[in-house]
Amino acid sequence: ALKSEDAELPGMITAVSMAVSGSDASARADSQEVAERTLRALTTGLPENMGGVVFLSDAQNPEEGTANLNALARLEPLPWPIAFCFARALLEPVLAAWKGADENFADAQAVLNQRLALLSRADAAGYSTALEDF
């Protein structure tokens, strides 16, 4: 469909979800399986000359989303550059630390900085769950 519309694929970025287990699944797929299934779906459906793929955190908790992003990054090089847009996985722990109180601002900011550092490491395939407590 994109070809028929003469779309400029190298200039297009798509935002996608990862192939995670459903919320009712009794057993959750590990991050390696999530990465492999996600990549299989994307390589089947996306042209290789797309400008990039941005992953959403969707319903993943912060640690799960970070581990899954890390597993995807470990499969690089991929046909397209990847990045992340993890608003929920970034903001959930920050809002929990802040609780709407001015006196919690510094703690919330520290939590945001920590999540950003962990996600940056995951985007470069350098994340480990052991880093969650630094």
Side-chain angles (χ1 to χ4, degrees):
L2 293 170
K3 274 186 185 177
S4 70
E5 295 298 323
D6 257 352
E8 196 64 34
L9 296 177
M12 294 181 68
I13 296 173
T14 186
V16 300
S17 299
M18 295 179 196
V20 298
S21 302
S23 59
D24 293 337
S26 58
R28 303 213 44 90
D30 67 19
S31 58
Q32 186 60 38
E33 185 176 358
V34 168
E36 290 169 359
R37 288 181 178 196
T38 300
L39 184 57
R40 184 172 48 232
L42 292 176
T43 55
T44 301
L46 287 180
E48 287 190 7
N49 61 338
M50 290 283 294
V53 175
V54 176
F55 291 100
L56 306 171
S57 59
D58 293 327
Q60 299 176 72
N61 68 46
E63 295 81 11
E64 180 184 26
T66 306
N68 290 339
L69 176 63
N70 188 71
L72 277 160
R74 286 186 178 180
L75 297 176
E76 290 183 292
L78 303 176
W80 345 258
I82 65 170
F84 62 92
C85 181
F86 276 21
R88 181 178 176 186
L90 274 172
L91 294 179
E92 188 176 278
V94 173
L95 293 173
W98 177 47
K99 300 176 187 161
D102 288 344
E103 63 269 16
N104 296 332
F105 180 80
D107 290 340
Q109 193 170 34
V111 170
L112 176 63
N113 289 336
Q114 178 188 23
R115 291 277 14 121
L116 285 171
L118 293 171
L119 284 164
S120 292
R121 289 187 76 134
D123 195 32
Y127 169 80
S128 163
T129 55
L131 297 171
E132 287 289 339
D133 296 324
F134 77 87

